């Protein structure tokens, strides 16, 4: 089994930047793709970003493309989400996710979820 723990959320102003971290523990060798989803209050879960095992292949949701960057540090078993030019509509609980399959399938093959970290962007 794998455990994922997010950190780095907080309250920021529009236009600010924030970096989220997700630390994996346990049977981390099982992880292939890792990524991030988010869910605003009263809204459905939305795909944000994902990266392959090496970090060489990345995917982004349309709403964050060009503003967010995902990266991985396998030596630390950690995935990061650098969020720039934050907007109030980015306000949500951000969840780290991992798949044992190819990263391209992460939207429907999440095997491990973190507990989430709150990001609030004020106007």
């Amino acid at each position: 089994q794998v455990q994922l723990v997010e950190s780095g959320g907080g309250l920021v102003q529009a236009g600010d930047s924030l970096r989220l971290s997700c630390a994996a523990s346990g049977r981390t060798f099982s992880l292939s793709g890792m990524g991030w989803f988010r869910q605003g209050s009263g809204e459905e879960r939305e795909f944000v970003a994902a990266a392959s095992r090496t970090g060489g292949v990345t995917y982004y949701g349309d709403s964050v493309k060009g503003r967010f960057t995902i990266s991985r540090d396998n030596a630390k078993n950690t995935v990061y989400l650098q969020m720039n030019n934050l907007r109030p509509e980015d306000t949500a609980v951000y969840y780290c996710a991992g798949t044992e399959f190819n990263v391209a399938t992460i939207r429907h093959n999440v095997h491990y979820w973190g507990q989430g970290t709150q990001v609030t962007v004020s106007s």
Side-chain angles (χ1 to χ4, degrees):
Q1 59 182 351
V2 173
Q3 295 80 45
L4 303 176
V5 179
E6 304 96 333
S7 63
L11 174 63
V12 298
Q13 294 183 327
D16 286 351
S17 297
L18 202 61
R19 188 178 75 158
L20 305 183
S21 299
C22 174
S25 61
R27 299 168 64 87
T28 58
F29 58 85
S30 297
L31 286 173
S32 181
M34 294 186 68
W36 296 86
F37 293 78
R38 68 186 184 186
Q39 186 169 23
S41 180
E43 301 178 350
E44 295 187 351
R45 185 180 61 213
E46 176 188 22
F47 172 74
V48 177
S52 63
R53 190 189 300 273
T54 65
V57 178
T58 59
Y59 301 88
Y60 295 94
D62 290 340
S63 64
V64 307
K65 196 176 184 66
R67 298 188 298 122
F68 291 9
T69 303
I70 189 170
S71 61
R72 294 182 69 166
D73 185 342
N74 289 333
K76 297 181 179 180
N77 294 316
T78 301
V79 62
Y80 304 95
L81 184 68
Q82 178 67 45
M83 305 183 292
N84 296 329
N85 192 25
L86 284 162
R87 305 165 179 170
E89 52 263 42
D90 294 318
T91 295
V93 177
Y94 284 70
Y95 296 94
C96 183
T99 180
E100 295 180 352
F101 300 159
N102 188 280
V103 66
T105 73
I106 194 170
R107 292 173 182 82
H108 53 274
N109 279 314
V110 174
H111 298 106
Y112 308 102
W113 288 102
Q115 292 301 120
T117 185
Q118 177 71 46
V119 172
T120 302
V121 184
S122 65
S123 59

